[in-house]
């Protein structure tokens, strides 16, 4: 059945664990003995209630969230959060700090400003084409929050240590590295993540929000744009993206029961990234685009000696069963996205191909 599946290095939507896809397939026509597909059952049914509650419980366990944190499932993708965050938790008259590490954080800043909110860009790595994570932050101790993008999917950089905000709540877009490593939720007032990189299919966005942040939500917002609407109704004020949430549940089950949790996942992820970065360092043919201390363990971005070789690299890789290696259209080059579901064996197959390609073309 799966013999023609390729090694999938897509940036998003991205690879899902094969056992998850097989479980979806096996249960697709008769979900939990209901005689219906999971795409056919009511979101008000006991079947779906069990799905959403178990998914929330698994997030709580894996991320060690205490009772102050609420786990919500929203639609509109991570991009919707670029406006919902400032609408809900940046009061008029207050200011928020943002770190600009490229594309997605740039968009988050733009949306906050479009709403007429006050944004202080506490640091930016634009001066070097967003190839690093800034160390020096001009933080405002009165800021409503500090917004960061924990992993920069397009530029290939990642925060390896979160900034110390002296009590100002951290807000993080973790779309492309959530659940890739253990997390201390303590400093975070709000975390959001589109599911389609590391935890599921497109169509659902995870929001984890703390009580004090919920307390800021203005009553004047429309229902569908207020976090409190979703926290009051266990994400079922209206019809949630049932199938996407169900898939997230299966991914978390795989993460807990098969992989063995976030520490074990992080160990594999470090090994995968090291396989590619070590190869690039020793080889000289491939040139990583991110500064060494800021390199992402999820999105490995690199260039070849010229663009013609890059095109051939991507095409020949696909002929060899290695897909999705083209860099984002805004930056060019190549990118291997090695999210949780991409196995060490897949990364080793890519490394082998890279070595051979360099030998033939170097
Ligand atoms: C993909 C991505 C987004 C955009 O997600 P959508 O769900 O398409 O809106 C935002 N932030 C980061 C870090 C991403 O990787």
């Amino acid at each position: 059945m799966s013999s023609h599946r390729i090694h999938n290095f897509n940036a998003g939507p991205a690879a899902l664990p094969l056992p998850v896809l097989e479980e979806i397939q096996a249960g697709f026509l008769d979900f939990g003995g209901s005689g219906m597909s999971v795409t056919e059952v009511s979101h008000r049914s006991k079947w779906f209630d069990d799905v959403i509650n178990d998914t929330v419980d698994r997030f709580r366990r894996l991320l060690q969230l205490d009772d102050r944190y609420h786990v919500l499932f929203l639609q509109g993708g991570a991009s919707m959060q670029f406006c919902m965050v400032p609408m809900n938790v940046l009061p008029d008259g207050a200011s928020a700090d943002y770190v600009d590490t490229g594309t997605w954080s740039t968009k988050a800043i733009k949306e906050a400003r479009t709403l007429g909110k006050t944004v202080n860009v506490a640091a930016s790595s634009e001066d070097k084409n967003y190839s690093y994570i800034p160390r020096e932050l001009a933080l405002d101790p009165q800021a409503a929050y500090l917004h960061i993008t924990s992993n920069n999917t397009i530029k290939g950089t990642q925060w390896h240590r979160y900034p110390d905000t002296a009590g100002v709540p951290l807000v993080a877009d973790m779309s492309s590295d959530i659940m890739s490593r253990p997390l201390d939720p303590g400093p975070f007032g709000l975390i959001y993540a589109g599911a389609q990189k590391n935890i599921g299919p497109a169509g659902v966005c995870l929001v984890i929000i703390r009580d004090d942040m919920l307390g800021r939500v203005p009553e004047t917002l429309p229902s569908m744009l207020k976090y409190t609407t979703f926290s009051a109704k266990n994400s079922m004020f209206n019809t949630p993206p049932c199938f996407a949430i169900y898939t997230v549940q299966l991914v978390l089950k795989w993460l807990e029961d098969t992989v063995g949790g976030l520490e074990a996942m992080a160990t594999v992820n470090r090994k995968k990234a090291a396989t590619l970065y070590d190869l690039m360092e020793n080889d000289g043919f491939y040139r990583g685009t991110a500064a060494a201390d800021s390199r992402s363990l999820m999105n490995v971005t690199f260039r070849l000696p010229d663009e013609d070789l890059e095109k051939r690299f991507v095409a020949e890789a696909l002929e060899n069963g290695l897909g999705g290696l083209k860099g984002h259209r805004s930056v060019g080059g190549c990118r291997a996205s090695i999210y949780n579901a991409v196995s060490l064996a897949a990364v080793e197959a890519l490394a082998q191909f890279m070595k051979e390609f360099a030998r033939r073309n170097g």
Side-chain angles (χ1 to χ4, degrees):
M1 180 278 280
S2 55
S3 59
H4 59 281
R5 283 177 58 79
I6 63 167
H7 293 307
N8 181 354
F9 299 96
N10 275 326
L16 285 166
L18 185 58
V20 167
L21 298 175
E22 286 171 342
E23 191 169 346
I24 291 169
Q25 189 181 42
F28 196 67
L29 298 182
D30 182 6
F31 170 62
S34 66
M36 295 176 276
S37 167
V38 66
T39 57
E40 298 174 304
V41 299
S42 166
H43 61 293
R44 309 281 177 208
S45 64
K46 161 105 174 69
W47 295 289
F48 190 72
D49 230 26
D50 289 347
V51 168
I52 200 162
N53 290 335
D54 184 58
T55 312
V56 169
D57 288 347
R58 287 180 188 275
F59 275 118
R60 289 193 171 288
R61 274 200 301 276
L62 284 159
L63 296 174
Q64 304 187 359
L65 304 172
D66 62 40
D67 290 347
R68 293 171 304 157
Y69 289 93
H70 304 257
V71 177
L72 313 179
F73 303 107
L74 276 63
Q75 297 185 63
S79 300
M80 183 69 124
Q81 296 311 306
F82 298 160
C83 69
M84 275 186 77
V85 166
M87 283 171 125
N88 280 268
V89 301
L90 177 47
D92 288 333
S95 164
D97 286 344
Y98 279 68
V99 181
D100 184 8
T101 49
T103 317
W104 299 117
S105 43
T106 310
K107 288 191 183 190
I109 291 165
K110 177 171 170 273
E111 291 298 295
R113 286 188 168 150
T114 299
L115 290 163
K117 302 284 184 174
T118 309
V119 168
N120 167 48
V121 177
S124 167
S125 49
E126 190 182 7
D127 60 336
K128 289 188 181 154
N129 199 21
Y130 299 111
S131 59
Y132 69 101
I133 299 292
R135 303 274 161 236
E136 300 294 313
L137 312 183
L139 296 180
D140 170 5
Q142 307 297 329
Y145 57 81
L146 167 64
H147 181 283
I148 61 168
T149 310
S150 60
N151 182 74
N152 297 280
T153 325
I154 294 174
K155 310 295 180 184
T157 63
Q158 186 176 24
W159 290 83
H160 294 296
R161 241 193 53 226
Y162 293 123
D164 181 2
T165 59
V168 170
L170 262 179
V171 171
D173 175 357
M174 291 196 185
S175 293
S176 52
D177 69 351
I178 184 121
M179 318 306 278
S180 70
R181 54 185 176 181
L183 178 82
D184 168 15
F188 292 91
L190 196 158
I191 293 167
Y192 61 94
Q196 70 272 21
K197 304 331 188 335
N198 226 2
I199 51 172
V204 64
C205 182
L206 168 74
V207 172
I208 296 167
I209 183 167
R210 208 171 53 197
D211 278 335
D212 55 306
M213 302 296 268
L214 273 183
R216 297 182 186 181
V217 176
E219 272 308 315
T220 50
L221 290 178
S223 305
M224 285 299 289
L225 295 175
K226 269 195 300 217
Y227 292 126
T228 42
T229 302
F230 294 87
S231 62
K233 298 280 179 179
N234 197 22
S235 300
M236 292 196 277
F237 170 73
N238 71 328
T239 317
C242 301
F243 181 69
I245 294 170
Y246 165 66
T247 307
V248 171
Q249 180 201 20
L250 299 185
V251 170
L252 298 191
K253 204 165 107 187
W254 169 81
L255 200 48
E256 272 194 297
D257 304 349
T258 306
V259 176
L262 296 186
E263 197 68 66
M265 191 72 254
T267 303
V268 180
N269 285 336
R270 279 194 297 269
K271 214 179 271 181
K272 281 153 48 186
T275 302
L276 298 183
Y277 288 121
D278 288 352
L279 179 154
M280 291 196 288
E281 254 163 33
N282 296 330
D283 181 284
F285 183 78
Y286 302 97
R287 185 171 48 82
T289 59
D293 66 352
S294 305
R295 292 188 303 210
S296 167
L297 301 193
M298 297 280 101
N299 307 97
V300 178
T301 51
F302 55 97
R303 306 298 312 237
L304 275 65
D306 63 59
E307 287 187 10
D308 188 52
L309 277 171
E310 285 169 349
K311 266 193 203 126
R312 275 177 43 212
F313 174 83
V314 171
E316 282 184 33
L318 187 57
E319 283 165 23
N320 284 273
L322 306 159
L325 292 162
K326 197 168 177 304
H328 191 268
R329 61 189 186 283
S330 67
V331 295
C334 301
R335 170 175 56 175
S337 296
I338 49 174
Y339 300 124
N340 286 355
V342 177
S343 66
L344 180 60
V347 173
E348 283 168 348
L350 172 61
Q352 187 59 34
F353 171 78
M354 287 172 74
K355 276 183 211 155
E356 280 165 24
F357 189 88
R359 189 168 43 73
R360 276 186 281 119
N361 296 282

